[in-house]
């Protein structure tokens, strides 16, 4: 069932809650791939009613970014989401989510939103936290599902949920990759053949850093240099950042001691890709 209106969605969800049904929310911007579907399948296992939101959120795109051209296909998304276990597809218009007089923002302040992707996308996380908060308020899910691919988003939403004492459990699901290691992303469709081929260097370089770490290399400088050198072997790759930080607090560290996030953002032509691994010893 596709629902476009907040009032209608709330009516159906109130009815479900009155029957003691648990609600799982999978927020997406559509153009669904296996990564999204893995979130929906997990949500299906853990909840009785699954809401998948499909909303290309304008406020998380910068003025020069791809909001207008972001890939959209609601028909095939609906089919895929329902096959994966969605009960309700929430597909509101921009005006439904942001009526003309809307002027309230949710913003997580501090380094966590200004480092890494926050450097080149200074308003991005404010758009994400605002819309995710709206979705939490509209759907009131017991659990909400996000992919580890957007690791900084995970860190920011974890902090927002804690800071605002929100009554929802965030479930973070592993990155789904192509056979050559490229992380699934709706933006991969922008890559031409050569760019797509070279993009596999991101995961390869991150894996090399993970191996080096597991073999005793703790120095953040050394590990970052290793990743940068590997990515630079691809002539189409233009590094935005390579950064190792504590996770999920994203604090600056000199040596990797506990768990840390190794994150990269690299442009291939006009397409900016992100990827990451968690640096941790084998269990
Ligand atoms: O990860 C995404 O697709 C988006 O940032 C989200 C969480 C759906 C908010 O628009």
């Amino acid at each position: 069932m596709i629902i476009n209106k907040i009032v209608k969605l709330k009516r159906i969800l109130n009815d479900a809650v009155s029957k003691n049904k648990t609600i799982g929310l999978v927020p997406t911007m559509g153009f669904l791939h296996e990564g999204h579907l893995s979130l929906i399948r997990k949500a299906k296992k853990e909840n009785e009613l699954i809401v998948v939101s499909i909303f290309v959120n304008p406020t998380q795109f910068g003025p020069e970014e791809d909001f207008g051209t972001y890939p959209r296909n609601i028909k095939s998304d609906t089919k895929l989401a329902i096959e994966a276990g969605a009960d309700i597809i929430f597909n509101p218009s921009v005006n439904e989510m942001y009526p003309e007089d809307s002027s309230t923002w949710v913003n997580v302040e501090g380094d966590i939103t200004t480092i890494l992707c926050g450097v080149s996308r200074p308003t991005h996380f404010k758009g994400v936290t605002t819309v995710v908060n709206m979705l939490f308020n509209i759907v009131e899910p017991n659990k909400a599902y996000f992919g580890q691919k957007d690791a900084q988003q995970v860190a920011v939403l974890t902090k927002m949920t804690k800071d605002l004492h929100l009554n929802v459990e965030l479930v973070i699901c592993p990155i789904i990759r192509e056979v050559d290691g490229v992380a699934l992303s709706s933006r991969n469709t922008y890559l031409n053949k050569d760019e797509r081929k070279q993009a596999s260097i991101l995961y390869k370089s991150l894996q090399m850093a993970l191996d080096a770490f597991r073999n005793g290399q703790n120095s953040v400088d050394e590990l970052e240099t290793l990743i940068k050198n590997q990515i630079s072997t691809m002539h189409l790759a233009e590094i935005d950042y390579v950064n190792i930080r504590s996770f999920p607090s994203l604090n600056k560290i000199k040596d990797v001691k506990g768990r840390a996030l190794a994150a990269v953002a690299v442009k291939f032509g006009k397409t900016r890709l992100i990827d990451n691994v968690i640096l941790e010893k084998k269990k």
Side-chain angles (χ1 to χ4, degrees):
M1 179 191 341
I2 303 190
I3 293 179
N4 312 108
K5 297 287 176 198
I6 295 169
V7 177
K8 185 163 176 201
L9 178 62
K10 282 194 170 182
R11 210 182 308 127
I12 293 171
L13 294 176
N14 280 343
D15 184 52
V17 170
S18 73
K19 292 177 180 138
N20 288 325
K21 287 197 176 175
T22 55
I23 300 173
L25 169 67
V26 183
T28 82
M29 298 210 298
F31 214 67
L32 304 183
H33 51 63
E34 261 314 303
H36 300 111
L37 301 181
S38 71
L39 305 184
I40 300 172
R41 287 187 200 110
K42 178 141 174 81
K44 185 73 181 172
K45 282 196 194 126
E46 299 181 349
N47 305 272
E48 285 151 319
L49 189 88
I50 312 306
V51 180
V52 174
S53 62
I54 298 183
F55 178 63
V56 184
N57 172 36
T59 63
Q60 68 189 75
F61 291 79
E64 305 298 316
E65 292 181 18
D66 55 343
F67 172 67
T69 54
Y70 193 83
R72 294 161 167 89
N73 191 341
I74 186 68
K75 210 166 154 210
S76 103
D77 281 352
T78 303
K79 187 169 175 287
L80 290 170
I82 287 174
E83 278 167 10
D87 298 295
I88 296 174
I89 314 292
F90 178 49
N91 179 222
S93 66
V94 170
N95 197 53
E96 181 74 3
M97 293 296 273
Y98 297 98
E100 252 169 48
D101 61 349
S102 149
S103 62
T104 302
W105 295 95
V106 175
N107 192 27
V108 177
E109 298 200 342
D111 274 6
I112 197 165
T113 49
T114 56
I115 56 165
L116 306 177
C117 291
V119 176
S120 61
R121 310 187 75 190
T123 56
H124 172 68
F125 291 109
K126 186 172 156 190
V128 170
T129 42
T130 300
V131 81
V132 170
N133 225 281
M134 287 181 190
L135 291 167
F136 285 175
N137 286 331
I138 295 165
V139 177
E140 297 185 54
N142 300 79
K143 295 185 181 186
Y145 296 78
F146 298 91
Q148 174 66 19
K149 154 109 188 324
D150 298 300
Q152 189 173 9
Q153 171 170 282
V154 165
V156 171
L157 291 176
T158 302
K159 185 154 194 326
M160 173 189 86
T161 304
K162 178 172 169 284
D163 287 355
L164 296 181
H165 308 283
L166 299 182
N167 204 10
V168 54
E169 182 187 331
L170 304 191
V171 181
I172 312 308
C173 303
I175 300 176
I176 307 292
R177 299 180 179 280
E178 304 270 12
V179 271
D180 65 349
V182 170
L184 294 193
S185 160
S186 306
R187 289 191 170 101
N188 289 351
T189 52
Y190 298 154
L191 299 169
N192 69 28
K193 221 167 136 218
D194 291 339
E195 291 163 352
R196 171 63 190 77
K197 216 168 154 198
Q198 296 202 4
S200 62
I201 195 64
L202 302 195
Y203 186 54
K204 277 191 201 116
S205 65
L206 289 166
Q207 273 303 118
M208 286 177 84
L210 179 59
D211 287 346
F213 168 67
R214 285 183 173 162
N215 286 324
Q217 180 57 269
N218 289 323
S219 156
V220 165
D221 276 352
E222 293 292 332
L223 291 167
E224 287 181 352
T225 304
L226 186 161
I227 298 170
K228 280 182 196 153
N229 288 345
Q230 279 307 310
I231 295 176
S232 303
T233 61
M234 294 296 161
H235 71 282
L236 297 174
E238 193 193 315
I239 295 177
D240 177 356
Y241 65 75
V242 169
N243 228 309
I244 296 175
R245 297 251 167 177
S246 66
F247 190 75
S249 53
L250 301 188
N251 290 327
K252 215 171 166 41
I253 47 174
K254 234 173 130 339
D255 298 297
V256 182
K257 291 202 180 93
R259 263 176 118 225
L261 173 78
V264 301
V266 177
K267 274 179 101 175
F268 290 90
K270 288 199 171 104
T271 310
R272 184 173 170 282
L273 299 182
I274 57 170
D275 201 351
N276 68 83
V277 293
I278 296 291
L279 300 178
E280 61 186 342
K281 299 284 183 203
K282 270 200 182 119
K283 281 170 201 140

